[in-house]
Amino acid sequence: MSTLAVYPGSFDPLTNGHVDIIVRGARLFDRIVVAIAANAEKAPLFTTDERVEIARVVFKEHPSVEVESFDGLLVDYVARRKADVIVRGLRAVSDFEFEFQMALMNRRLNEKIETVFMMPAEQYTYISSRLIKEVFSLGGRVHGLVPELVEARLRDKVSTVTKQ
Ligand code: PNS
């Protein structure tokens, strides 16, 4: 029996921490779906379509990684996809409280779905999409913390915003 995992998130933008978890997840499960939440953030930097396109390009050489967006409750999406597992990354103890709440709420909503936590490589434990956006928008260097495509897209965004 093959195991399908769903790795949900906002991915605004995709970071090398996310990439690390996806690669680890792809080793552990037969297939992993990167599920990009369409409505998770009120004012995302990248549109849902842009986030999907970026992740698809980054994982184009990984046949067991699929990228899709979803709306509504995560557990409903996971059930629709007939997936077995939700994967979430845990970077530090500070992530734990919120992740624990979400995992138990999702279990209450659908007790058949398990949440599995995975730890990224140490060098990515301090990276978050929010920090990447803040550092980049203030002129800081994010090289090595996000895929090169994301870095290029961040540059495009900033130049579009400053031209307006
Ligand atoms: O990358 P993030 O922002 O930490 O991801 C959070 C996400 C998208 C996984 C979470 O907000 C989510 O599952 N949203 C879908 C709506 C939902 O099911 N909410 C209840 C979660 S217990």
Side-chain angles (χ1 to χ4, degrees):
M1 212 185 83
S2 78
T3 317
L4 175 64
V6 169
Y7 179 46
S10 310
F11 304 104
D12 185 43
L14 183 76
T15 69
N16 282 346
H18 296 132
V19 171
D20 183 89
I21 294 287
I22 296 163
V23 170
R24 286 171 199 280
R27 275 193 229 126
L28 199 59
F29 303 103
D30 296 299
R31 280 185 305 141
I32 184 162
V33 183
V34 180
I36 301 183
N39 300 325
E41 281 193 53
K42 284 198 186 92
L45 179 63
F46 291 96
T47 65
T48 308
D49 286 348
E50 286 171 329
R51 285 177 277 152
V52 168
E53 190 247 329
I54 289 170
R56 282 192 179 146
V57 172
V58 170
F59 287 97
K60 65 177 189 301
E61 312 289 349
H62 291 72
S64 61
V65 178
E66 192 188 319
V67 181
E68 204 172 61
S69 64
F70 76 100
D71 254 326
L73 276 181
L74 173 61
V75 286
D76 291 343
Y77 171 76
V78 173
R80 256 196 326 274
R81 289 301 316 256
K82 297 191 174 29
D84 312 281
V85 170
I86 294 171
V87 170
R88 290 286 289 173
L90 266 189
R91 291 165 300 190
V93 178
S94 51
D95 280 341
F96 181 76
E97 200 169 314
F98 178 59
E99 293 300 332
F100 186 67
Q101 283 178 344
M102 278 211 303
L104 292 185
M105 178 59 86
N106 283 331
R107 181 185 281 168
R108 188 188 163 88
L109 294 169
N110 185 334
E111 63 180 19
K112 291 193 199 118
I113 299 167
E114 288 297 339
T115 299
V116 168
F117 294 109
M118 298 188 72
M119 281 160 291
E122 298 98 274
Q123 71 261 36
Y124 302 129
T125 48
Y126 63 92
I127 306 175
S128 69
S129 297
R130 188 186 60 77
L131 266 188
I132 294 291
K133 285 185 279 194
E134 184 173 322
V135 168
F136 189 85
S137 68
L138 297 172
R141 206 173 122 83
V142 297
H143 188 72
L145 304 180
V146 294
E148 281 178 17
L149 176 63
V150 171
E151 215 181 319
R153 293 299 170 86
L154 282 167
R155 275 196 296 272
D156 294 346
K157 277 278 171 207
V158 170
S159 68
T160 316
V161 170
T162 48
K163 268 185 217 146
Q164 280 169 357

